[in-house]
PDB file of all heavy atoms in Angstrom:
ATOM      1  N   ALA A   1      10.012 -12.709  21.903  1.00  0.00           N
ATOM      2  CA  ALA A   1      10.961 -11.990  21.061  1.00  0.00           C
ATOM      3  C   ALA A   1      10.231 -11.760  19.747  1.00  0.00           C
ATOM      4  O   ALA A   1       9.768 -12.709  19.105  1.00  0.00           O
ATOM      5  CB  ALA A   1      12.228 -12.807  20.852  1.00  0.00           C
ATOM      6  N   VAL A   2      10.086 -10.511  19.359  1.00  0.00           N
ATOM      7  CA  VAL A   2       9.289 -10.132  18.196  1.00  0.00           C
ATOM      8  C   VAL A   2      10.229  -9.661  17.092  1.00  0.00           C
ATOM      9  O   VAL A   2      11.062  -8.768  17.320  1.00  0.00           O
ATOM     10  CB  VAL A   2       8.303  -8.996  18.554  1.00  0.00           C
ATOM     11  CG1 VAL A   2       7.454  -8.603  17.354  1.00  0.00           C
ATOM     12  CG2 VAL A   2       7.434  -9.384  19.752  1.00  0.00           C
ATOM     13  N   THR A   3      10.094 -10.246  15.914  1.00  0.00           N
ATOM     14  CA  THR A   3      10.874  -9.794  14.758  1.00  0.00           C
ATOM     15  C   THR A   3       9.925  -9.550  13.589  1.00  0.00           C
ATOM     16  O   THR A   3       8.790 -10.015  13.577  1.00  0.00           O
ATOM     17  CB  THR A   3      11.956 -10.826  14.363  1.00  0.00           C
ATOM     18  OG1 THR A   3      11.338 -12.087  14.143  1.00  0.00           O
ATOM     19  CG2 THR A   3      13.018 -10.955  15.445  1.00  0.00           C
ATOM     20  N   GLY A   4      10.407  -8.813  12.622  1.00  0.00           N
ATOM     21  CA  GLY A   4       9.615  -8.430  11.452  1.00  0.00           C
ATOM     22  C   GLY A   4       9.881  -6.970  11.165  1.00  0.00           C
ATOM     23  O   GLY A   4      10.992  -6.471  11.380  1.00  0.00           O
ATOM     24  N   ASP A   5       8.878  -6.250  10.703  1.00  0.00           N
ATOM     25  CA  ASP A   5       8.979  -4.813  10.437  1.00  0.00           C
ATOM     26  C   ASP A   5       8.943  -4.093  11.792  1.00  0.00           C
ATOM     27  O   ASP A   5       7.881  -3.705  12.285  1.00  0.00           O
ATOM     28  CB  ASP A   5       7.824  -4.379   9.539  1.00  0.00           C
ATOM     29  CG  ASP A   5       7.854  -2.905   9.174  1.00  0.00           C
ATOM     30  OD1 ASP A   5       8.660  -2.137   9.756  1.00  0.00           O
ATOM     31  OD2 ASP A   5       7.050  -2.508   8.305  1.00  0.00           O
ATOM     32  N   LEU A   6      10.129  -3.940  12.411  1.00  0.00           N
ATOM     33  CA  LEU A   6      10.190  -3.471  13.804  1.00  0.00           C
ATOM     34  C   LEU A   6       9.568  -2.099  14.013  1.00  0.00           C
ATOM     35  O   LEU A   6       8.933  -1.864  15.047  1.00  0.00           O
ATOM     36  CB  LEU A   6      11.631  -3.496  14.312  1.00  0.00           C
ATOM     37  CG  LEU A   6      12.291  -4.876  14.408  1.00  0.00           C
ATOM     38  CD1 LEU A   6      13.673  -4.757  15.035  1.00  0.00           C
ATOM     39  CD2 LEU A   6      11.428  -5.861  15.184  1.00  0.00           C
ATOM     40  N   LEU A   7       9.748  -1.178  13.074  1.00  0.00           N
ATOM     41  CA  LEU A   7       9.154   0.159  13.255  1.00  0.00           C
ATOM     42  C   LEU A   7       7.635   0.070  13.321  1.00  0.00           C
ATOM     43  O   LEU A   7       7.005   0.642  14.217  1.00  0.00           O
ATOM     44  CB  LEU A   7       9.586   1.095  12.135  1.00  0.00           C
ATOM     45  CG  LEU A   7      11.045   1.524  12.157  1.00  0.00           C
ATOM     46  CD1 LEU A   7      11.371   2.373  10.929  1.00  0.00           C
ATOM     47  CD2 LEU A   7      11.362   2.288  13.432  1.00  0.00           C
ATOM     48  N   ARG A   8       7.047  -0.646  12.398  1.00  0.00           N
ATOM     49  CA  ARG A   8       5.585  -0.788  12.371  1.00  0.00           C
ATOM     50  C   ARG A   8       5.096  -1.529  13.613  1.00  0.00           C
ATOM     51  O   ARG A   8       4.114  -1.125  14.247  1.00  0.00           O
ATOM     52  CB  ARG A   8       5.177  -1.535  11.102  1.00  0.00           C
ATOM     53  CG  ARG A   8       3.686  -1.724  10.955  1.00  0.00           C
ATOM     54  CD  ARG A   8       3.381  -2.283   9.552  1.00  0.00           C
ATOM     55  NE  ARG A   8       1.957  -2.442   9.388  1.00  0.00           N
ATOM     56  CZ  ARG A   8       1.344  -3.625   9.278  1.00  0.00           C
ATOM     57  NH1 ARG A   8       2.052  -4.737   9.299  1.00  0.00           N
ATOM     58  NH2 ARG A   8       0.040  -3.688   9.135  1.00  0.00           N
ATOM     59  N   LEU A   9       5.780  -2.612  13.961  1.00  0.00           N
ATOM     60  CA  LEU A   9       5.364  -3.395  15.127  1.00  0.00           C
ATOM     61  C   LEU A   9       5.527  -2.608  16.417  1.00  0.00           C
ATOM     62  O   LEU A   9       4.668  -2.667  17.310  1.00  0.00           O
ATOM     63  CB  LEU A   9       6.150  -4.708  15.174  1.00  0.00           C
ATOM     64  CG  LEU A   9       5.920  -5.646  13.976  1.00  0.00           C
ATOM     65  CD1 LEU A   9       6.932  -6.775  13.983  1.00  0.00           C
ATOM     66  CD2 LEU A   9       4.486  -6.159  13.945  1.00  0.00           C
ATOM     67  N   ALA A  10       6.608  -1.833  16.534  1.00  0.00           N
ATOM     68  CA  ALA A  10       6.820  -0.996  17.724  1.00  0.00           C
ATOM     69  C   ALA A  10       5.704   0.034  17.864  1.00  0.00           C
ATOM     70  O   ALA A  10       5.239   0.321  18.974  1.00  0.00           O
ATOM     71  CB  ALA A  10       8.183  -0.313  17.670  1.00  0.00           C
ATOM     72  N   TRP A  11       5.251   0.583  16.747  1.00  0.00           N
ATOM     73  CA  TRP A  11       4.157   1.556  16.794  1.00  0.00           C
ATOM     74  C   TRP A  11       2.904   0.902  17.380  1.00  0.00           C
ATOM     75  O   TRP A  11       2.249   1.458  18.264  1.00  0.00           O
ATOM     76  CB  TRP A  11       3.859   2.128  15.406  1.00  0.00           C
ATOM     77  CG  TRP A  11       2.842   3.224  15.484  1.00  0.00           C
ATOM     78  CD1 TRP A  11       3.074   4.546  15.682  1.00  0.00           C
ATOM     79  CD2 TRP A  11       1.414   3.069  15.419  1.00  0.00           C
ATOM     80  NE1 TRP A  11       1.878   5.238  15.750  1.00  0.00           N
ATOM     81  CE2 TRP A  11       0.845   4.351  15.584  1.00  0.00           C
ATOM     82  CE3 TRP A  11       0.570   1.979  15.242  1.00  0.00           C
ATOM     83  CZ2 TRP A  11      -0.522   4.573  15.568  1.00  0.00           C
ATOM     84  CZ3 TRP A  11      -0.813   2.206  15.233  1.00  0.00           C
ATOM     85  CH2 TRP A  11      -1.340   3.484  15.394  1.00  0.00           C
ATOM     86  N   HIS A  12       2.566  -0.303  16.898  1.00  0.00           N
ATOM     87  CA  HIS A  12       1.361  -0.989  17.386  1.00  0.00           C
ATOM     88  C   HIS A  12       1.495  -1.383  18.856  1.00  0.00           C
ATOM     89  O   HIS A  12       0.535  -1.285  19.618  1.00  0.00           O
ATOM     90  CB  HIS A  12       1.045  -2.209  16.517  1.00  0.00           C
ATOM     91  CG  HIS A  12       0.429  -1.838  15.207  1.00  0.00           C
ATOM     92  ND1 HIS A  12      -0.902  -1.496  15.075  1.00  0.00           N
ATOM     93  CD2 HIS A  12       0.965  -1.725  13.974  1.00  0.00           C
ATOM     94  CE1 HIS A  12      -1.166  -1.197  13.827  1.00  0.00           C
ATOM     95  NE2 HIS A  12      -0.041  -1.326  13.122  1.00  0.00           N
ATOM     96  N   ILE A  13       2.678  -1.808  19.258  1.00  0.00           N
ATOM     97  CA  ILE A  13       2.914  -2.157  20.660  1.00  0.00           C
ATOM     98  C   ILE A  13       2.760  -0.918  21.534  1.00  0.00           C
ATOM     99  O   ILE A  13       2.069  -0.925  22.553  1.00  0.00           O
ATOM    100  CB  ILE A  13       4.306  -2.805  20.835  1.00  0.00           C
ATOM    101  CG1 ILE A  13       4.319  -4.201  20.192  1.00  0.00           C
ATOM    102  CG2 ILE A  13       4.701  -2.871  22.307  1.00  0.00           C
ATOM    103  CD1 ILE A  13       5.700  -4.811  20.053  1.00  0.00           C
ATOM    104  N   GLY A  14       3.392   0.185  21.125  1.00  0.00           N
ATOM    105  CA  GLY A  14       3.302   1.432  21.887  1.00  0.00           C
ATOM    106  C   GLY A  14       1.905   1.995  21.924  1.00  0.00           C
ATOM    107  O   GLY A  14       1.485   2.574  22.934  1.00  0.00           O
ATOM    108  N   ASN A  15       1.166   1.828  20.851  1.00  0.00           N
ATOM    109  CA  ASN A  15      -0.201   2.338  20.783  1.00  0.00           C
ATOM    110  C   ASN A  15      -1.098   1.642  21.806  1.00  0.00           C
ATOM    111  O   ASN A  15      -2.122   2.181  22.210  1.00  0.00           O
ATOM    112  CB  ASN A  15      -0.760   2.150  19.366  1.00  0.00           C
ATOM    113  CG  ASN A  15      -2.039   2.913  19.158  1.00  0.00           C
ATOM    114  OD1 ASN A  15      -2.166   4.063  19.551  1.00  0.00           O
ATOM    115  ND2 ASN A  15      -3.003   2.260  18.538  1.00  0.00           N
ATOM    116  N   ARG A  16      -0.691   0.464  22.248  1.00  0.00           N
ATOM    117  CA  ARG A  16      -1.447  -0.268  23.268  1.00  0.00           C
ATOM    118  C   ARG A  16      -0.817  -0.131  24.657  1.00  0.00           C
ATOM    119  O   ARG A  16      -1.153  -0.864  25.577  1.00  0.00           O
ATOM    120  CB  ARG A  16      -1.586  -1.734  22.870  1.00  0.00           C
ATOM    121  CG  ARG A  16      -2.677  -1.869  21.816  1.00  0.00           C
ATOM    122  CD  ARG A  16      -2.361  -2.897  20.779  1.00  0.00           C
ATOM    123  NE  ARG A  16      -3.352  -2.886  19.709  1.00  0.00           N
ATOM    124  CZ  ARG A  16      -3.243  -2.150  18.599  1.00  0.00           C
ATOM    125  NH1 ARG A  16      -2.208  -1.352  18.417  1.00  0.00           N
ATOM    126  NH2 ARG A  16      -4.165  -2.204  17.665  1.00  0.00           N
ATOM    127  N   HIS A  17       0.126   0.795  24.778  1.00  0.00           N
ATOM    128  CA  HIS A  17       0.796   1.064  26.056  1.00  0.00           C
ATOM    129  C   HIS A  17       1.387  -0.206  26.662  1.00  0.00           C
ATOM    130  O   HIS A  17       1.354  -0.404  27.881  1.00  0.00           O
ATOM    131  CB  HIS A  17      -0.143   1.749  27.054  1.00  0.00           C
ATOM    132  CG  HIS A  17      -0.585   3.107  26.609  1.00  0.00           C
ATOM    133  ND1 HIS A  17       0.075   4.255  26.967  1.00  0.00           N
ATOM    134  CD2 HIS A  17      -1.598   3.495  25.797  1.00  0.00           C
ATOM    135  CE1 HIS A  17      -0.526   5.295  26.407  1.00  0.00           C
ATOM    136  NE2 HIS A  17      -1.544   4.863  25.689  1.00  0.00           N
ATOM    137  N   THR A  18       1.914  -1.064  25.809  1.00  0.00           N
ATOM    138  CA  THR A  18       2.536  -2.310  26.245  1.00  0.00           C
ATOM    139  C   THR A  18       4.017  -2.084  26.484  1.00  0.00           C
ATOM    140  O   THR A  18       4.709  -1.613  25.574  1.00  0.00           O
ATOM    141  CB  THR A  18       2.339  -3.403  25.158  1.00  0.00           C
ATOM    142  OG1 THR A  18       0.928  -3.594  24.974  1.00  0.00           O
ATOM    143  CG2 THR A  18       2.990  -4.711  25.551  1.00  0.00           C
ATOM    144  N   PRO A  19       4.539  -2.365  27.669  1.00  0.00           N
ATOM    145  CA  PRO A  19       5.981  -2.204  27.901  1.00  0.00           C
ATOM    146  C   PRO A  19       6.777  -3.014  26.874  1.00  0.00           C
ATOM    147  O   PRO A  19       6.417  -4.146  26.544  1.00  0.00           O
ATOM    148  CB  PRO A  19       6.179  -2.756  29.314  1.00  0.00           C
ATOM    149  CG  PRO A  19       4.837  -2.644  29.958  1.00  0.00           C
ATOM    150  CD  PRO A  19       3.842  -2.871  28.852  1.00  0.00           C
ATOM    151  N   CYS A  20       7.851  -2.395  26.357  1.00  0.00           N
ATOM    152  CA  CYS A  20       8.615  -3.006  25.277  1.00  0.00           C
ATOM    153  C   CYS A  20      10.107  -2.732  25.460  1.00  0.00           C
ATOM    154  O   CYS A  20      10.513  -1.585  25.674  1.00  0.00           O
ATOM    155  CB  CYS A  20       8.136  -2.444  23.943  1.00  0.00           C
ATOM    156  SG  CYS A  20       8.941  -3.141  22.499  1.00  0.00           S
ATOM    157  N   GLN A  21      10.882  -3.783  25.362  1.00  0.00           N
ATOM    158  CA  GLN A  21      12.343  -3.687  25.371  1.00  0.00           C
ATOM    159  C   GLN A  21      12.768  -3.613  23.908  1.00  0.00           C
ATOM    160  O   GLN A  21      12.496  -4.534  23.134  1.00  0.00           O
ATOM    161  CB  GLN A  21      12.913  -4.922  26.058  1.00  0.00           C
ATOM    162  CG  GLN A  21      14.405  -4.944  26.208  1.00  0.00           C
ATOM    163  CD  GLN A  21      14.824  -6.150  27.036  1.00  0.00           C
ATOM    164  OE1 GLN A  21      14.220  -6.472  28.051  1.00  0.00           O
ATOM    165  NE2 GLN A  21      15.851  -6.842  26.582  1.00  0.00           N
ATOM    166  N   ILE A  22      13.431  -2.520  23.530  1.00  0.00           N
ATOM    167  CA  ILE A  22      13.788  -2.284  22.135  1.00  0.00           C
ATOM    168  C   ILE A  22      15.254  -2.615  21.924  1.00  0.00           C
ATOM    169  O   ILE A  22      16.127  -2.055  22.598  1.00  0.00           O
ATOM    170  CB  ILE A  22      13.493  -0.821  21.747  1.00  0.00           C
ATOM    171  CG1 ILE A  22      12.000  -0.546  21.949  1.00  0.00           C
ATOM    172  CG2 ILE A  22      13.936  -0.549  20.318  1.00  0.00           C
ATOM    173  CD1 ILE A  22      11.611   0.910  21.815  1.00  0.00           C
ATOM    174  N   GLU A  23      15.507  -3.534  21.007  1.00  0.00           N
ATOM    175  CA  GLU A  23      16.863  -3.953  20.664  1.00  0.00           C
ATOM    176  C   GLU A  23      17.035  -3.801  19.150  1.00  0.00           C
ATOM    177  O   GLU A  23      16.040  -3.724  18.420  1.00  0.00           O
ATOM    178  CB  GLU A  23      17.091  -5.403  21.097  1.00  0.00           C
ATOM    179  CG  GLU A  23      16.946  -5.584  22.605  1.00  0.00           C
ATOM    180  CD  GLU A  23      17.102  -7.032  23.053  1.00  0.00           C
ATOM    181  OE1 GLU A  23      17.305  -7.924  22.202  1.00  0.00           O
ATOM    182  OE2 GLU A  23      17.006  -7.258  24.279  1.00  0.00           O
ATOM    183  N   PRO A  24      18.267  -3.762  18.655  1.00  0.00           N
ATOM    184  CA  PRO A  24      18.475  -3.545  17.215  1.00  0.00           C
ATOM    185  C   PRO A  24      17.801  -4.578  16.309  1.00  0.00           C
ATOM    186  O   PRO A  24      17.310  -4.233  15.238  1.00  0.00           O
ATOM    187  CB  PRO A  24      19.999  -3.614  17.055  1.00  0.00           C
ATOM    188  CG  PRO A  24      20.539  -3.299  18.399  1.00  0.00           C
ATOM    189  CD  PRO A  24      19.529  -3.812  19.385  1.00  0.00           C
ATOM    190  N   GLU A  25      17.744  -5.838  16.740  1.00  0.00           N
ATOM    191  CA  GLU A  25      17.234  -6.901  15.872  1.00  0.00           C
ATOM    192  C   GLU A  25      15.887  -7.471  16.301  1.00  0.00           C
ATOM    193  O   GLU A  25      15.347  -8.351  15.637  1.00  0.00           O
ATOM    194  CB  GLU A  25      18.255  -8.049  15.798  1.00  0.00           C
ATOM    195  CG  GLU A  25      19.633  -7.623  15.314  1.00  0.00           C
ATOM    196  CD  GLU A  25      19.626  -7.085  13.886  1.00  0.00           C
ATOM    197  OE1 GLU A  25      18.873  -7.625  13.051  1.00  0.00           O
ATOM    198  OE2 GLU A  25      20.361  -6.105  13.628  1.00  0.00           O
TER     199      GLU A  25
END
């Protein structure tokens, strides 16, 4: 479960083509 600056972290996760479940928090 990853928390922090979600927009920035989601960008880095997506940039590595890592599957990600996106939730509000």
Side-chain angles (χ1 to χ4, degrees):
V2 181
T3 55
D5 181 350
L6 296 185
L7 290 176
R8 181 171 181 248
L9 298 169
W11 186 89
H12 284 281
I13 290 168
N15 192 44
R16 282 143 187 91
H17 296 267
T18 300
C20 182
Q21 183 174 317
I22 300 171
E23 299 177 359
E25 303 297 323

